[in-house]
Amino acid sequence: MHEADELARSRSGVTGSGGIILSVRCKIRMSAAGVHLFDRVSGTNVLLDEVPVPAEQFSAAPRYLSVALTNACELRCNYCYAPKHVAALDKERVLKWAIELDAAGCLGVGFGGGEPTAYRRFAQLCSDITQSTSMAVTFTTHGHRLTPRLVESLRGVVHFVRLSVDGVGSTYERLRGRPFEAVVRAAALLGSLAPFGINAVINGDTVGELDDLAEFADKAGASELLLLPEQPTAAIPGISDADAQRLVEWAAAARIGARLAISRTGLEAALSTAEAVPGEHPLDAHMHVDAMGFLRPHAYAPKGLSVGGSIMEAVHALRGAR
Ligand code: SF4
């Protein structure tokens, strides 16, 4: 789960240009909002909004693509929206898509699932994309497959990681069916790998633990706490209005060390929360590919287009259908 929130993240947000130093590998994206500079290593975004960009020079790719590499996951969270049938994408196909998207101005690809670390040759895919493109490579994980060996194989080839932690202590253990201590160890491993954030699904079970989650994120050294109001699925109704209101009130008063982000409508909305580009159409901000190879506006969208030989052809077709 949580593939869509794997943003080509910003630790500083889209900012003005004053005083920010970018690496020579900075990537450029052009849009109606201006010229967007992105450095995947530092996570810095700069939007030169005073620069007019002719429409014919707009980057054709979405700013960010989330990819469900596989539907496989050994956990059984009752709020999971990932399909349960067996499906996984071909590694070479994903690499080809990434190269195509990179050339068309996409800033980042984020892997989810299912559980992306259950995907065969996951580290090799991350490495291939990082070597072949200038996009940020990110992933969201439940953390229970992370080992020192896997972390070592991912070193230098991923730019940000999101760890899913829904509640703390016994709440986490009840919801995720795994020891809380294990996810604490996972956070420590990630801290040695790359900048990372904590994701938390907020529902009636976890809304009372927001202070504890914030404390956990701070202590773990996370740079972001992303709160995801539970979405309805066939099995559950989603967060109640009362709990959503509690979340809003908590967020308004929260003072935490990590950057706080909240998805309003689902995981993909968190993308624009993190790097809001003024006036950006949702399909310019983000698209999603599921584990069957269908391109969708977002992970919850009921319909998608099968991606054939070219993902940019599918991107254009999806835009044409809007
Ligand atoms: S960790 Fe839970 S929510 Fe995420 S994919 Fe697995 S079952 Fe679904």
Side-chain angles (χ1 to χ4, degrees):
M1 185 176 171
H2 303 174
E3 61 269 49
D5 60 325
E6 300 271 356
L7 171 64
R9 82 295 176 221
S10 164
R11 292 198 292 280
S12 58
V14 175
T15 76
S17 54
I20 292 179
I21 298 172
L22 299 166
S23 80
V24 291
R25 295 203 51 166
C26 182
K27 187 169 173 63
I28 297 174
R29 175 177 171 81
M30 316 271 259
S31 73
V35 177
H36 185 161
L37 309 177
F38 174 60
D39 177 4
R40 67 182 182 181
V41 175
S42 66
T44 301
N45 289 268
V46 176
L47 181 65
L48 305 176
D49 57 3
E50 70 273 24
V51 179
V53 180
E56 63 273 17
Q57 291 181 18
F58 289 178
S59 297
R63 180 161 47 84
Y64 165 73
L65 183 79
S66 59
V67 179
L69 286 176
T70 174
N71 285 343
C73 180
E74 60 273 73
L75 270 57
R76 292 289 176 268
C77 313
N78 78 341
Y79 38 80
C80 181
Y81 68 82
K84 300 306 170 208
H85 58 267
V86 176
L89 292 167
D90 176 74
K91 174 176 157 294
E92 294 309 316
R93 202 174 168 211
V94 178
L95 175 60
K96 182 172 174 289
W97 292 343
I99 293 170
E100 207 184 338
L101 288 160
D102 181 49
C106 185
L107 300 183
V109 59
F111 294 125
E115 171 55 39
T117 61
Y119 182 76
R120 208 171 137 262
R121 303 187 69 204
F122 174 61
Q124 187 61 53
L125 175 60
C126 294
S127 175
D128 289 348
I129 293 176
T130 291
Q131 296 299 323
S132 306
T133 77
S134 54
M135 292 192 297
V137 176
T138 70
F139 69 99
T140 298
T141 178
H142 59 44
H144 296 289
R145 286 175 165 266
L146 291 174
T147 61
R149 186 175 175 187
L150 175 58
V151 165
E152 203 49 48
S153 68
L154 290 168
R155 194 172 304 287
V157 301
V158 296
H159 302 93
F160 195 77
V161 185
R162 294 182 183 281
L163 179 64
S164 299
V165 185
D166 306 330
V168 299
S170 60
T171 303
Y172 175 91
E173 294 181 350
R174 178 164 50 83
L175 296 177
R176 293 252 160 184
R178 289 289 189 278
F180 186 64
E181 268 185 18
V183 84
V184 172
R185 286 196 296 274
L189 271 176
L190 288 180
S192 72
L193 171 63
F196 73 102
I198 300 294
N199 285 0
V201 172
I202 303 303
N203 54 26
D205 289 309
T206 58
V207 72
E209 300 196 345
L210 287 165
D211 284 336
D212 296 327
L213 279 164
E215 186 182 343
F216 173 77
D218 280 347
K219 280 189 178 165
S223 58
E224 181 184 277
L225 174 61
L226 173 61
L227 304 177
L228 305 159
E230 183 183 271
Q231 296 298 298
T233 68
I236 51 150
I239 190 169
S240 69
D241 289 346
D243 289 334
Q245 185 59 30
R246 284 181 72 186
L247 169 59
V248 168
E249 287 168 8
W250 179 87
R255 297 285 178 269
I256 67 171
R259 193 172 69 87
L260 181 64
I262 302 178
S263 163
R264 280 176 296 128
T265 58
L267 309 176
E268 50 287 329
L271 306 176
S272 51
T273 302
E275 286 184 284
V277 172
E280 189 177 45
H281 189 282
L283 290 183
D284 295 331
H286 166 248
M287 291 185 189
H288 173 79
V289 177
D290 68 23
M292 296 284 285
F294 282 78
L295 183 71
R296 300 171 186 268
H298 51 79
Y300 294 109
K303 290 183 183 168
L305 297 172
S306 180
V307 181
S310 161
I311 193 164
M312 284 308 300
E313 281 180 13
V315 164
H316 290 305
L318 198 62
R319 285 222 177 90
R322 74 188 182 192

